[in-house]
Amino acid sequence: MAGDLRGRRIESPVGDATRPTTDKVREAVFNALGSLDLVDGARVLDLFAGTGAMGIEALSRGAAHCTFVESDRKALEVLRTNLRTLGLEQRSTVVSGDATSPMVSAHTATLVIADPPYGFDAWQTVVRNVSPDAFVVIESGSSIAVPDGWECRREKRYGRTMVTFLTRRQQEEGTVEPS
């Protein structure tokens, strides 16, 4: 953990239902986001939150608020414990639910982080529900097919993890984006 919570540890659930982000990947992602000035004051949506490590890192580095979305019951218990232990409950919301569901659109975010289980590939469904102006960070095991209407800003491999940065494709004046 860096930022305000430097040196603090978070708990992880037993088992393989969550895929934790390595310290190296988390640090690289947030250094890149920091250089783009996307974290300080951000409203973050941490999809497939697991332990909450990515959203907690964002809060530690100055994000204003983070909404954590997780469906696994054990991971939710650990996530809530981590937020309570770190004193982050006032700056966070925990949602028990499916990160691909339309309910995600109810949570406005400027920064979206998605770190789903291995083998996930429904990226079009994920990005369809996020705020139109959100910057999206995707962690996956391999390169992803960039969803329609989005463009890849950066893609980099860190060991077994591929990190992809997406932004909504800008419409050219006088053109209509297909729906």
Side-chain angles (χ1 to χ4, degrees), residues 94-117:
V94 177
V95 176
S96 174
D98 182 350
T100 63
S101 79
M103 68 85 185
V104 168
S105 64
H107 302 278
T108 302
T110 56
L111 176 61
V112 175
I113 301 166
D115 183 14

Side-chain angles (χ1 to χ4, degrees), residues 135 151-155 164-168 170:
F135 190 93
E151 60 185 300
C152 179
R153 293 295 188 183
R154 177 182 177 189
E155 182 178 66
T164 307
F165 290 174
L166 300 175
T167 56
R168 185 96 50 191
Q170 298 297 314

Side-chain angles (χ1 to χ4, degrees), residues 111-142:
L111 176 61
V112 175
I113 301 166
D115 183 14
Y118 291 111
F120 181 87
D121 67 355
W123 299 112
Q124 190 70 41
T125 304
V126 170
V127 299
R128 175 181 52 222
N129 297 319
V130 301
S131 304
D133 296 330
F135 190 93
V136 177
V137 177
I138 292 174
E139 286 185 54
S140 59
S142 59

